[in-house]
């Protein structure tokens, strides 16, 4: 079973050959029709390989859009369960109408030696699913869980209907303006400051048998509803009109302190979410996801059963440049370091230096997936050096990840 079946028009054979070579360098197994032997039935072989492949990559060009065979292969891939069609447009052509509603990646002007963001996206689609982001790199963190809001206070019991001759209902019938509803400080999680205002708490509204006859209701004034304590910014010694001449300074300070604490908590949570969602480090989330996908792919072959340690390290490197970073390893542990680079890179190296600066392992072979083992580590800080001997662009994006044997 091949990872990718490449569908193309025979007039684009040179393009298909370059695409197949580039996909193979990314660690993907590829099937295309150059593998058909003279003893095989051509159409049956194509059907078998389309059904068996994990993905079907269609190379849309001015030639292939007119090919009935390419359209048939694309249709079979689209109708499979689950769908396995991946589309790439390599020339200024119109994707056939039957496939135009599905996403495709534009690779006009692509060559294996030049960096192209569309190619990186295509590799993600082929490795991690059609238009699905790669799994976040292990150890890269994640968004901070939302803070659960404090449970709302239980609503006060509803008083039974008042007699029609009470003052409050009479005012409502006469069109008198209603008192604005204000949220008490306690409902905002700042506590109940009524005892600090210099006035006793208001009694609860009478219910049921506690009510007096209607005649007495008319003689007594209607109970005054409890109001929130006002916030005042007046200097100490001045009073707030309508509060009975008491000073509101103590209440104001507590409210301001509580509000400041709440605001500070919101700011800290926001900063933490930015930090753990990839907002720091100078690399975009797309770059981290792309390189994490490459490392995940190599880990399926070279780090089975191992546990990632720390975050992925990324670095933009020109040809022959290096990047050093440090990682702390436990005494006696067994570790493995994996490396990767983007599609413009043909060779990336890894060198590991021990706590005393001596070289303890390296992989300088001419490939883009270096692997270095650190058996029986000496406890302390190790230096991992990423080298870029061969970059086909001004800069290539490289990455490294450390694993520990369980």
């Amino acid at each position: 079973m091949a990872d990718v079946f490449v569908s193309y028009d025979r007039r684009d054979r040179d393009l298909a050959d370059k695409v197949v070579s580039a996909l193979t360098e990314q660690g993907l197994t590829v099937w295309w029709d150059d593998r058909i032997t003279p003893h095989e039935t051509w159409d049956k072989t194509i059907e078998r390989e389309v059904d068996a492949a994990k993905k079907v990559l269609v190379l849309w060009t001015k030639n292939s859009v007119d090919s009935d065979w390419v359209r048939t292969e694309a249709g079979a891939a689209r109708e499979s369960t689950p769908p396995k069609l991946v589309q790439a447009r390599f020339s200024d052509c119109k994707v056939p109408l039957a496939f135009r509603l599905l996403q495709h990646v534009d690779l006009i002007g692509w060559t294996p030696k030049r960096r192209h963001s569309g190619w990186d996206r295509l590799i993600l689609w082929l490795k991690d699913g059609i238009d699905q982001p790669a799994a976040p790199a292990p150890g890269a963190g994640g968004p901070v869980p939302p803070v659960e809001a404090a449970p709302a206070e239980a609503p006060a019991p509803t008083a039974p209907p008042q007699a029609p001759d009470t003052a409050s209902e009479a005012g409502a019938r006469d069109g008198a303006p209603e008192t604005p509803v204000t949220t008490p400080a306690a409902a905002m999680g700042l506590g109940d400051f009524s005892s600090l205002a210099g006035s006793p708490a208001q009694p609860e509204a009478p219910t049921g048998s506690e009510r007096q006859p209607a005649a007495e209701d008319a003689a007594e004034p209607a109970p005054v509803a409890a109001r929130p304590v006002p916030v005042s910014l007046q200097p100490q010694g001045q009073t707030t009109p309508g509060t009975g001449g008491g000073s509101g300074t103590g209440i104001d300070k507590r409210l301001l302190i509580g509000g400041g604490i709440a605001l500070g908590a919101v700011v800290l949570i926001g900063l933490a979410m930015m930090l753990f969602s990839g907002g720091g480090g100078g690399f975009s989330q797309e770059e981290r996801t792309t390189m994490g996908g490459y490392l995940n792919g190599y880990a399926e072959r070279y780090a089975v059963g191992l546990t990632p340690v720390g975050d992925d390290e990324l670095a933009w490197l020109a040809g022959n440049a290096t990047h050093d970073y440090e990682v702390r390893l436990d005494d006696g542990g067994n570790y493995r370091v994996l490396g990767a680079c983007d599609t413009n890179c043909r060779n990336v190296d890894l060198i590991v230096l021990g706590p005393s600066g001596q070289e303890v392992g390296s992989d300088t072979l001419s490939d883009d997936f270096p692997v270095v083992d650190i058996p029986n580590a000496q406890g302390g800080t190790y230096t991992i050096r990423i080298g870029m001997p061969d970059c086909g662009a001004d800069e290539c994006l490289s990455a490294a990840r450390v694993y520990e044997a369980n």
Side-chain angles (χ1 to χ4, degrees), residues 224-286:
V224 180
R227 293 182 174 84
V229 179
V231 178
S232 172
L233 300 179
Q234 295 178 354
Q236 187 171 1
Q238 297 186 14
T239 60
T240 304
T243 60
S247 173
T249 305
I251 302 170
D252 300 337
K253 285 183 179 179
R254 287 167 173 78
L255 286 175
L256 292 176
I257 291 173
I261 292 174
L263 178 60
V266 172
V267 172
L268 288 176
I269 292 173
L271 292 175
M273 292 183 66
M274 290 179 60
L275 177 62
F276 288 106
S277 63
F283 297 95
S284 68
Q285 186 61 43
E286 180 179 0

Side-chain angles (χ1 to χ4, degrees), residues 328-397:
R328 187 166 185 83
L329 305 181
D330 295 333
D331 187 38
N334 296 310
Y335 298 88
R336 172 168 288 182
V337 187
L338 300 186
C341 59
D342 64 16
T343 57
N344 292 311
C345 159
R346 293 294 177 264
N347 186 12
V348 62
D349 296 336
L350 282 178
I351 299 174
V352 179
L353 307 178
S356 60
Q358 82 282 10
E359 181 178 315
V360 297
S362 65
D363 183 343
T364 57
L365 298 176
S366 296
D367 56 41
D368 58 356
F369 50 93
V371 181
V372 177
D373 286 327
I374 310 173
N376 194 23
Q378 175 186 354
T381 301
Y382 281 70
T383 299
I384 299 177
R385 178 169 297 159
I386 308 173
M388 185 64 61
D390 184 7
C391 177
D394 292 337
E395 285 185 316
C396 290
L397 184 56

Side-chain angles (χ1 to χ4, degrees), residues 31 36-49 69:
W31 193 96
I36 298 180
T37 67
H39 305 289
E40 294 181 290
T41 305
W42 189 72
D43 58 341
K44 291 183 178 180
T45 302
I46 294 292
E47 183 178 2
R48 181 189 70 228
E49 295 299 332
W69 267 112

Side-chain angles (χ1 to χ4, degrees), residues 153-223:
E153 293 185 350
T158 305
Q162 302 292 325
D165 57 347
T166 59
S168 57
E169 293 192 9
R173 289 195 302 270
D174 296 339
E178 297 181 358
T179 304
V181 178
T182 309
T183 304
M188 297 186 291
L190 300 178
D192 185 1
F193 300 105
S194 59
S195 61
L196 302 176
S199 58
Q202 298 294 337
E204 296 182 357
T207 58
S209 60
E210 297 178 6
R211 288 188 46 78
Q212 300 298 323
E216 295 183 12
D217 286 348
E220 294 181 3

